[in-house]
Amino acid sequence: MGFFTLETAQAQLAPGGDFGPWIWALALKAEHVSADQVRLRLPYSDDVARPGGVVIGQAMMAMADTVMVLAICEKLGRFATLATISLTTNFLRAAVRQDVIAVARAVKVGRTTAFGEVDLFVDGSDDPIAQVLATFAVLPDGAGAFNRTDQR
């Protein structure tokens, strides 16, 4: 059994979870959690779209960063203190008035650094709309300024 269940991963994404209010506002939905990958859904809404219905890149990048944190924590077996070092996103085509699906894989998780990949798709398609490469610092637990002030 892994660290997260769908329910505990979803609780992290909702108000009261360890992510900030800007992530809660995206209304991300956990769809799959395993040692190999974590899958989230960004439901389409006018709040994450430009006029014309194109899902904005900022929302997709926030989703990619968030799903990567979950994938790394799943691999570590604990909710670790992480800091994004780099997040390189290549947008391949637009998502128009559709939910966006993110599938993250923690490729290499070391003692101080973690590397991962996220593929983004529109719901119902296997053709990627974006690809993300991510590098995170794995900080010591209780690493001061990186912890939320109301952390449990």
Side-chain angles (χ1 to χ4, degrees), residues 77-134:
R78 63 187 171 88
F79 202 88
T81 303
L82 302 173
T84 308
I85 294 173
S86 70
L87 192 72
T88 303
T89 306
N90 293 306
F91 293 101
L92 308 174
R93 64 183 178 86
V96 182
R97 292 185 184 88
Q98 291 176 286
D99 290 0
V100 176
I101 307 299
V103 178
R105 291 167 302 288
V107 175
K108 170 80 170 134
V109 178
R111 194 174 42 81
T112 60
T113 311
F115 303 89
E117 302 172 337
V118 181
D119 291 319
L120 296 159
F121 306 89
V122 293
D123 189 26
S125 174
D126 291 332
D127 295 327
I129 62 166
Q131 297 173 322
V132 180
L133 295 177

Side-chain angles (χ1 to χ4, degrees), residues 19-69:
F19 293 103
W22 60 93
I23 298 301
W24 306 339
L26 292 174
L28 298 172
K29 305 293 181 209
E31 293 191 340
H32 176 81
V33 177
S34 72
D36 297 328
Q37 68 180 27
V38 175
R39 176 183 162 123
L40 298 183
R41 174 182 298 267
L42 171 64
Y44 175 79
S45 76
D46 290 339
D47 293 337
V48 296
R50 290 187 272 144
V54 174
V55 178
I56 58 175
Q58 295 94 326
M60 290 188 280
M61 290 178 74
M63 176 190 197
D65 189 88
T66 302
V67 72
M68 200 67 249
V69 167

